[in-house]
Amino acid sequence: MEINGVEIIDTYAEAFGIKVSRLLVTAATKELALTATTEATGYATSVIGCPAEAGIDVYLPPTETPDGRPGYVIMICQGSKKKLSHELLERIGMGILTAPTTAVFNALENPDELLNEGFKLKFFGDGYEKELEIAGRKVHSIPIMSGEFLVESEFGIKDGVAGGNFFVGGDSKMSALIGAQAAVDAISNVPGTITPFPGGVVASGSKVGCNSYTFLNASTNEKMCVGLKNEIEGSEISAAVNGIYEIVIDGVDETSVKKAMYEGIKAATSVPGVIEINAGNFGGNLGAYKINLKDLF
Amino acid sequence: MEINGVEIIDTYAEAFGIKVSRLLVTAATKELALTATTEATGYATSVIGCPAEAGIDVYLPPTETPDGRPGYVIMICQGSKKKLSHELLERIGMGILTAPTTAVFNALENPDELLNEGFKLKFFGDGYEKELEIAGRKVHSIPIMSGEFLVESEFGIKDGVAGGNFFVGGDSKMSALIGAQAAVDAISNVPGTITPFPGGVVASGSKVGCNSYTFLNASTNEKMCVGLKNEIEGSEISAAVNGIYEIVIDGVDETSVKKAMYEGIKAATSVPGVIEINAGNFGGNLGAYKINLKDLF
Amino acid sequence: MEINGVEIIDTYAEAFGIKVSRLLVTAATKELALTATTEATGYATSVIGCPAEAGIDVYLPPTETPDGRPGYVIMICQGSKKKLSHELLERIGMGILTAPTTAVFNALENPDELLNEGFKLKFFGDGYEKELEIAGRKVHSIPIMSGEFLVESEFGIKDGVAGGNFFVGGDSKMSALIGAQAAVDAISNVPGTITPFPGGVVASGSKVGCNSYTFLNASTNEKMCVGLKNEIEGSEISAAVNGIYEIVIDGVDETSVKKAMYEGIKAATSVPGVIEINAGNFGGNLGAYKINLKDLF
Amino acid sequence: MEINGVEIIDTYAEAFGIKVSRLLVTAATKELALTATTEATGYATSVIGCPAEAGIDVYLPPTETPDGRPGYVIMICQGSKKKLSHELLERIGMGILTAPTTAVFNALENPDELLNEGFKLKFFGDGYEKELEIAGRKVHSIPIMSGEFLVESEFGIKDGVAGGNFFVGGDSKMSALIGAQAAVDAISNVPGTITPFPGGVVASGSKVGCNSYTFLNASTNEKMCVGLKNEIEGSEISAAVNGIYEIVIDGVDETSVKKAMYEGIKAATSVPGVIEINAGNFGGNLGAYKINLKDLF
């Protein structure tokens, strides 16, 4: 199958269940909202080694937020509810409460359940905190040195999808890189999804386990390493492909992840030198979701 | 004492010991180096609730790096050596190795000791890794999907200083905010220091302990909250001050932190509406360092 | 009248007729589209001294553009049709054709007439240019060193509105500045409008003519200068106002400009320390449009 | 000749004389200084169609500026002294005076002569302007709505060099593009030089004259167009090169331009897929300077 003249390999992305939260962070200006959300979603590419997976979902202009200020929606994801609760508390408390002029609202529709991290944060107010209602939401106003911090009392969580993915194959490394960046640009407008890796792009797709060092649970995917293409037996890289970058997507549900994959792949194929789209899976036995690339189109 | 007509309160900042590492992350372009270091230094404002304190130190042009590419120097800090070792491994492995085109070099001079996190990361190569020498440094080349990742074998750590600080007091909230941003701009050119909070600015300076809720170790510093100035007894905010933002600085040594405080305070005083510089301390019994504001000038 | 507790002065903005064009510039990535449009809309704050008034209108994701790539809509405005024709030709030819991976499409609905600047640009192809149809549009493909440049053959122009404006008054200079920035953030999501001054903000609102130097057509508006408030007679600045920044808006029609003023003013009033909204006029005899602030709400 | 394994073609860049000015623009924050200088240096890629050539030269931290604030040095260039005088007046008056919190100082050492554009701008103050001395410089303080604008009285100009250049050839379009971006990053740290095209990169290198349409003075350089490589006779593109972007450099003197070319070429060769460096000339009869690529190394 071809899209824009780019070969779509007949394979599937294998994705996993994860618990997701979705927050709206508003601030006095768009730039200040970006500063806070960048801090709060850092160090969060993969739960393999990071305490969470997190990223910026979409920007909302003042007309679409409860307090009429510009804001970014972010997602914070974790495999366990207990760890997600911890991450929510600390990423809000250390990364957003500490940032100039911010407020935080729940932005997850149809949650499976609610976590009361806003309620927990109010104690930072040492008795000077107050309870407000903003646009029908229960919000805690916590006095801080620079003014007040507003945080909704409860945040929804739900079972979402992690590890939706595709590989952008290029005729050179930099073709694949800009193709991947174009994909991230497109996905950034798909609500309910994030691309948690640095700048949305993964440079180092891995395989499960490790052949040479048995103490490792994950290691480089040598059969997809462009630098080893001609050095090892069994390389799975197409003859014309000299560059590969991966996009990994987390979403609130499978539909959102599929939409992000669709938009991302279409965008990648518009970049000169992108010649093939592939996807990563682990034989189909590890993840709860199999997303066939061909079914997206 | 006055600097540029701004009152410098006769007080001191109380700072603490912390273990610091300092890394140089290079990439194909300045933008790609920024993407990687932003991810790797996120979720790292204060060890009160974050797994580390981290931030971008200085930018180095291609002429000043071992591989002739643009790069950002970052600092990662933790109270314990064991936790710092963990943070180095994961922040490099999950935030930089995963980012397009990066390489990582040690950037700490005169270390107390060396941690072999680069050596540990090489196992990700599953036997395909190689050892190189670049500018006299021992470097591991790890094949990754997009090419190769270069990481120096050992990273120095040393006893540094955390929590250097000052408060920017303004005639309004936004005067204090832009004053604080000007301070961060100035400090960003002082090598060996970072301002780990979001955008370098702290909106919510805290006190030790909590009066109303004894289960909390830290809570809002109500005597310095501008919103409570006229509502509580014992507010310590000057009559004319209506806005306060704090700058917190971590550095490789006390000299660097003092230099950053000096440059930051001078810059803050150049902003219209900044009227007072203060500092935070805890009675002098908690921290190893007392830095008098007046001694800076 | 008060909005969010901020006084709206009972006055009007006096605006003028201007000829406007509206273009969509797409590129391989959002960043590359921003690079091109930033160059093409520079040196374009006011036709008092610049060859045009120009700015970025809105961002369009790949799903909303003719070629499925991310793009920014820009507006270029001039008082005369002849000069607008020249500015379109040069700003596209020198600022967008020269930028990596770009294409340009007409984005003005219901034009009064069409200018064939795309047709004129095709001659740069020296006979190697081709004609294409993209999404029903007639487009010239011009071979350039790096690939090909696509430009729609004709661009619509129409009679629009220049100089829609309001003043953000703050309790300090920096309150007014961040209030103005918040206004610009809000206006950036109102299609059909731009804020052509640097970062969207005017630091130096002027008056018509000059009292001391008769050779000048425009000079500082001393009665609204915060630094002269207590030095001159007849200052028109309210007692509590210590900072003023102006927002100037150009739009495709009066409705768009009013919508931008409404959203901008609302946003400005959400910033701490913003205490008054005013507007600029010239007695009502110069401009074709009078927009009462109170009628916006 | 090879640098980092990349072929340096045995050719020369042909450059021209131009009159250059060099200004330092400071502001309350680095971001505000960038906003002003971006506006003032826009629409200025080439005097072929723009009213000037302009760009940001280097960033100066607060410790290196006359007023202790962060600032960007910019260069504004024109073929004629009269036009340069006009461009200085309007780009400062419309793009910097109008921007929040700015001041402008002369930053050209060893000028051939001085233009009194600061003196001319003071009349905007309508008699309320004052004269100051800052760091030994004669400066006009002009009251504006938001405060005061400071501008040095005189700005130096000198005979500089325009059109220093090189071509980055890649195995694909995107390799050449990122190679060119790496070059721009490196040149941005060479004082006394700018890369005036969008983002510093030229997508559309041209030739003098036009074969098919004699009314044009410049047209596409078809022999260097990658898209025509296999369609026309006489293509001058090497067999392996599939992508070409050009870097154009203006500088205060030939030494600076050579230094920028050297640093830029070295940086480009560090990007994967960059395989050849070439340069543009016109037979050697048009420009006053011939810079051999091989002599740079």
Side-chain angles (χ1 to χ4, degrees), chain B residues 109-235:
Chain B
E109 296 177 4
N110 305 315
D112 294 339
E113 58 186 310
L114 297 169
L115 298 180
N116 65 340
E117 307 309 322
F119 175 80
K120 290 181 191 166
L121 280 164
K122 78 165 193 171
F123 297 105
F124 183 76
D126 199 2
Y128 298 100
E129 69 276 9
K130 289 175 186 161
E131 202 176 298
L132 309 175
E133 192 182 288
I134 297 180
R137 297 154 185 261
K138 181 176 165 184
V139 170
H140 302 287
S141 165
I142 303 171
I144 55 175
M145 198 180 275
S146 57
E148 64 173 352
F149 173 67
L150 299 179
V151 58
E152 191 161 341
S153 192
E154 294 184 314
F155 291 92
I157 66 169
K158 76 185 291 290
D159 289 323
V161 178
N165 73 78
F166 57 92
F167 298 171
V168 179
D171 61 2
S172 75
K173 288 173 181 172
M174 297 301 108
S175 303
L177 177 54
I178 296 192
Q181 290 175 334
V184 171
D185 283 345
I187 295 169
S188 72
N189 278 77
V190 178
T193 65
I194 58 170
T195 49
F197 279 82
V201 176
V202 193
S204 58
S206 58
K207 69 176 183 289
V208 175
C210 186
N211 298 315
S212 299
Y213 312 112
T214 50
F215 51 86
L216 275 190
N217 296 321
S219 61
T220 201
N221 186 351
E222 72 274 7
K223 293 180 180 173
M224 291 301 284
C225 285
V226 294
L228 300 176
K229 184 180 167 186
N230 301 315
E231 294 187 21
I232 64 169
E233 284 187 31
S235 173

Side-chain angles (χ1 to χ4, degrees), chain A residues 202-221:
Chain A
V202 193
S204 58
S206 58
K207 69 176 183 290
V208 176
C210 187
N211 298 316
S212 299
Y213 312 113
T214 51
F215 52 86
L216 275 189
N217 297 320
S219 62
T220 201
N221 186 350

Side-chain angles (χ1 to χ4, degrees), chain D residues 41-225:
Chain D
T41 60
Y43 190 32
T45 60
S46 164
V47 290
I48 291 177
C50 293
E53 299 184 7
I56 292 174
D57 181 346
V58 289
Y59 169 70
L60 293 186
T63 48
E64 297 175 30
T65 65
D67 62 356
R69 304 192 307 163
Y72 284 91
V73 175
I74 63 174
M75 286 173 54
I76 301 174
C77 314
Q78 239 291 349
S80 97
K81 175 179 153 186
K82 189 181 167 189
K83 286 183 180 169
L84 180 53
S85 168
H86 173 80
E87 290 296 307
L88 271 173
L89 187 71
E90 298 299 359
R91 287 177 184 266
I92 297 173
M94 304 307 296
I96 302 175
L97 180 150
T98 62
T101 78
T102 53
V104 190
F105 302 94
N106 178 44
L108 186 71
E109 295 177 7
N110 305 316
D112 294 338
E113 58 186 311
L114 297 168
L115 298 180
N116 65 342
E117 308 308 322
F119 174 80
K120 290 181 191 168
L121 280 165
K122 78 165 191 170
F123 297 105
F124 183 75
D126 199 3
Y128 299 100
E129 68 276 9
K130 290 176 187 159
E131 202 176 299
L132 308 176
E133 190 183 290
I134 298 180
R137 296 153 184 263
K138 181 175 165 184
V139 171
H140 301 286
S141 166
I142 303 171
I144 55 175
M145 199 181 273
S146 58
E148 64 172 351
F149 173 68
L150 300 178
V151 58
E152 191 161 342
S153 193
E154 294 183 314
F155 291 92
I157 65 169
K158 75 187 290 291
D159 287 325
V161 178
N165 72 79
F166 57 92
F167 298 171
V168 179
D171 61 2
S172 76
K173 289 174 181 171
M174 297 300 109
S175 303
L177 176 53
I178 296 193
Q181 290 175 334
V184 171
D185 283 345
I187 294 168
S188 72
N189 279 77
V190 178
T193 65
I194 58 169
T195 49
F197 279 82
V201 176
V202 193
S204 58
S206 57
K207 69 174 182 291
V208 175
C210 187
N211 299 315
S212 299
Y213 313 113
T214 51
F215 51 87
L216 275 189
N217 296 322
S219 62
T220 201
N221 186 349
E222 72 274 7
K223 293 181 181 172
M224 292 300 285
C225 286

